[in-house]
Amino acid sequence: MPLVGHIVRELSGRVPAHVSRDDLTSAGLAALVQAAHAFDATLGVPFARYAATRIRGSLLDELRSVDWASRSVRRRARDLEETRHRMAATLGRVPSNAEVASALGMSLEEVVGNDDDIARAQVLSLQASPDDALDELLPSDGATPEQLVEHQERLTYVVEAVAELPERLRVVVSEYFLAERPMAEIAEQLGVSESRVSQMRAEALSLLRDALNRELDPDLVKPAGRPDGCAARRRESYFAAVATRHAASLRRPAGRPALDAIA
């Protein structure tokens, strides 16, 4: 294992900073295990020398796997770089792409294309900028301030709507969704059947949905089948209670809605 660490440190000084040392170490350790299984002491080669060869080969394979440029592009890039250095020393200035292409017997388009391929293969750290981190300039997938405010408002209405449910419906919602108790236990607590608990849960969810829509999306609330019936009056009374509780909460100091209010 110290041999793996030594080879990784040796190689890390010659690779770009974005290459993960942890990934190289993992590849080296895997190669060490493979070397231990494949080692044949009768051949007379010391294990350290044999393992080092396997580890270095594995690290090179790992580097090739994370390199966005092909081996041929990298090889041509090295030839171009060596030619540019040699011509710069001879000419006393940076040679043009056309001069480099002529020296290597390549077309100008090939030289420019290879430079473009290498440029696209460069990987930058999003936190590497000395001034502003690049990740702060990228579009975020997170919620916008308006969406956060809307989410908080909906959460407040949910808490208040649950708190205003009739007692038995409130028990079903609290125990099933918050306490995560089995429906059979809730049925035993209320002295009803599991099917009745399921019906109560559906009724509670319908009331909660309509209560939220009544305050936030009124067009989504379906009119009652019998507007003058007892069920419709109970629904309207429930909606009014939720609205009253919400208005009272707005007069209190700002804070997160207390979930224990629905218990």
Side-chain angles (χ1 to χ4, degrees):
M1 292 175 66
L3 177 62
V4 172
H6 171 72
I7 296 176
V8 168
R9 287 191 298 272
E10 180 184 73
L11 186 61
S12 295
R14 307 199 302 269
V15 299
H18 70 268
V19 176
S20 172
R21 178 174 290 191
D22 290 341
D23 290 345
L24 292 178
T25 301
S26 296
L29 291 174
L32 179 63
V33 173
Q34 294 172 357
H37 287 303
F39 179 65
D40 185 356
T42 61
L43 297 178
V45 179
F47 176 72
R49 184 186 306 171
Y50 172 75
T53 301
R54 295 288 297 265
I55 293 168
R56 287 191 175 90
S58 179
L59 296 185
L60 292 177
D61 289 340
E62 175 68 17
L63 290 175
R64 293 188 187 104
S65 69
V66 300
D67 192 355
W68 290 14
S70 65
R71 297 177 66 179
S72 61
V73 170
R74 290 292 183 189
R75 187 183 307 110
R76 183 172 295 178
R78 287 194 296 271
D79 293 340
L80 290 173
E81 191 65 19
E82 292 174 0
T83 301
R84 286 190 173 105
H85 283 303
R86 185 173 62 254
M87 295 183 67
T90 302
L91 299 174
R93 58 175 174 80
V94 178
S96 66
N97 286 337
E99 291 172 330
V100 173
S102 177
L104 289 175
M106 299 169 55
S107 67
L108 178 60
E109 290 75 14
E110 289 177 314
V111 172
V112 174
N114 196 87
D115 290 343
D116 290 343
D117 290 339
I118 291 296
R120 284 192 295 269
Q122 299 303 315
V123 178
L124 298 177
S125 170
L126 293 179
Q127 289 81 31
S129 174
D131 300 320
D132 296 325
L134 295 179
D135 56 350
E136 295 180 0
L137 305 178
L138 298 176
S140 174
D141 293 332
T144 65
E146 302 91 283
Q147 291 171 332
L148 292 175
V149 170
E150 182 179 353
H151 174 74
Q152 184 64 32
E153 185 178 12
R154 287 186 176 275
L155 178 60
T156 301
Y157 271 116
V158 168
V159 173
E160 294 164 349
V162 173
E164 289 296 334
L165 283 172
E167 181 180 358
R168 291 168 71 83
L169 297 185
R170 185 171 68 249
V171 169
V172 171
V173 170
S174 300
E175 296 298 320
Y176 186 82
F177 292 105
L178 301 182
E180 298 183 348
R181 293 179 60 193
M183 196 171 293
E185 293 183 5
I186 302 174
E188 183 178 356
Q189 176 184 343
L190 297 178
V192 298
S193 65
E194 288 188 45
S195 61
R196 176 54 183 155
V197 172
S198 179
Q199 293 173 355
M200 295 168 68
R201 181 187 61 181
E203 181 182 353
L205 292 178
S206 177
L207 283 173
L208 291 174
R209 182 185 63 248
D210 287 344
L212 264 64
N213 288 338
R214 180 68 172 265
E215 299 298 327
L216 302 176
D217 298 297
D219 293 338
L220 298 180
V221 180
K222 296 181 180 179
R226 296 178 57 187
D228 298 331
C230 294
R233 288 197 296 269
R234 285 197 299 268
R235 288 176 76 251
E236 291 299 325
S237 177
Y238 169 67
F239 297 156
V242 173
T244 300
R245 177 181 283 266
H246 184 69
S249 70
L250 295 179
R251 293 192 291 269
R252 293 195 297 267
R256 292 182 62 184
L259 291 179
D260 56 0
I262 65 178

